[in-house]
Each structure stands twice: as C-alpha cells, then as structure tokens.
Amino acid sequence: MSRPPFSPAEARAARLRVGMTPEQVVASMAQLGMDRPPEAVHAWESGTVAPSETELFALADALWCPVQALMARVPSTLREHRLARQFTAERLAQRIGMDPYAYARAEAEHRWSGTDRQTLLLADALGLRVDDLLDVVDQAAELVTLLHEAVEGRWKTYVAPLADLARADQRAVAQALRTLHREYALFNERYMGHLVARSGDVRLKEIAVDRARWLRDLPERFRLMVTHGA
C-alpha cells in the first residue's frame, strides 16, 4: 500500500505549536506503542520519507492534532476519509462486518460493493451521510477513469475536467498531466523495446507489474502533484 497523504510543513508546524522536540515526540509515540527514533521525525518533517498509516495515527496523537491536519487536505476518497477517522483498513472492515480483502479492494479500485447494512455502517463510521459516501466513491472512480484516459491519450483534453473534479488550478493540473503522460509513455517504450529485443517473458512481466503498480498509485500521485507540486 502506498504511503498516506502527508504534509511535512504541517507536521513541523504542529510540533512547534505544542512546543515539543523530536525526542519528545517519539517518546510520546512510544507510550502509544510506536517505537521510532528521533531521526524518523526529522525525516518526516524534511519530506525525505512519509510516515506509514499507523505512524501517521501515532504522530497525530503525539502532537494533539487531527490526522486531517497532517494530511493537509480535505478527504476526497474512501481511503482519505478512513485515515481522517484514524481507522486501519482491517479495523474498519471488521467494524462494518466486511472481509478485509474485499474492503481493501474497494478502496484500491474505487468501487463500493458492500451490502446495504455495510454501507450504512461505513457511512456512520466515517461520519458521512450515505448519499455523501456514495458520491465520494463515484467521484474517485471518475477521477481514476479520466486519469487513465489522460495518460493513455491526449492529456491536454483532460486538463479542464480534471481541474474541475479535483478542484485544482488548471496550470497545476496541466503540469502534472504532462509529467504523468511522459512517465506512462516510458513504460510503453520499455515494454516494446524488450518485446522487440525478445528479452523473455520474465522481463516483460516485470515491466507489466511496474506499470500496474504505477497506475494503482496514479490518483495519489496526481493529487500530490497538483496540491504540493510533488
């Protein structure tokens, strides 16, 4: 699973607001069962690496701030709403009576297939109305579809609709799509190059797996790029 949304600047600001040193932060996290060295806090605040989901939860508790403040964004996907409520995927699946694998797939594919009861329980757990929950899932699915079409085709056509959907500046969206389109094209060039060179099924499968992983992380990459210029 990819790392959760995280703002190094907001993390540092939150720590300074409560007057804690990195050493005090990790000491507080240790009391919550999360043992990390002070270097981890420095790495998170410098943007060298982002915390994992459980690290993010412990950090927010240690800094006495909401997870959403450290994410520095309004939740717009099922996963982001879950993170804002400090649920792991497994714990939330258990709460709504759903198989953890099925729930994880729903998050990854941005498609909800839960029963009516599971949907009601999920909306309650996330603090949403059912209609709002379904809108979140539908909008995330639409974003994924548009992003796939943009990187696979003429990306300039998708700048305006993606900017509207993501509520982002069109120039930032255009810059992100230009970069992502180029990255996706490189996958195809690598694949065709190895196909022509008859490199063998193993190498071709490796490239296909890399591309599938890249496409899975595409929505999160896009959001980071249009909000933080990452």
Side-chain angles (χ1 to χ4, degrees), residues 10-12 14-15 18 20 25 28 58-65 70:
E10 289 299 326
R12 185 173 187 274
R15 177 174 63 79
V18 294
M20 298 176 73
V25 172
S28 180
L59 180 62
D61 286 339
L63 297 176
W64 293 84
C65 71
L70 299 183

Side-chain angles (χ1 to χ4, degrees), residues 38-74:
E39 289 76 17
V41 176
H42 290 294
W44 296 334
E45 292 186 0
S46 68
T48 305
V49 65
S52 66
E53 289 189 3
T54 52
E55 289 171 337
L56 177 63
F57 296 161
L59 180 62
D61 286 339
L63 297 176
W64 293 84
C65 71
V67 168
Q68 185 175 330
L70 299 183
M71 290 166 57
R73 69 172 62 176
V74 176

Side-chain angles (χ1 to χ4, degrees), residues 82-187:
R82 171 176 63 77
L83 291 172
R85 288 281 174 160
Q86 288 192 238
F87 282 111
T88 63
E90 294 78 11
R91 181 173 160 231
L92 183 55
Q94 182 180 31
R95 175 163 173 161
I96 67 175
M98 191 174 196
D99 176 73
Y101 177 78
Y103 176 80
R105 187 172 63 231
E107 274 197 5
E109 297 178 355
H110 304 285
R111 292 186 178 88
W112 181 246
S113 59
T115 64
D116 289 345
R117 175 173 171 74
Q118 289 169 339
T119 303
L120 288 171
L121 290 172
L122 179 62
D124 180 69
L126 299 180
L128 297 169
R129 295 186 306 119
V130 171
D131 288 347
D132 292 336
L133 169 64
L134 297 178
D135 283 344
V136 166
V137 176
D138 289 344
Q139 289 178 8
E142 183 180 359
L143 178 71
V144 170
T145 298
L146 290 177
L147 282 174
H148 282 208
E149 292 176 353
V151 299
E152 292 171 357
R154 299 185 178 183
W155 61 267
K156 292 183 180 179
T157 307
Y158 296 88
V159 171
L162 279 168
D164 289 341
L165 191 60
R167 298 177 183 176
D169 179 75
Q170 286 199 16
R171 288 173 297 181
V173 171
Q175 183 176 349
L177 290 183
R178 184 184 297 110
T179 300
L180 294 170
H181 185 273
R182 189 182 307 120
E183 289 180 6
Y184 186 76
L186 289 175
F187 278 115

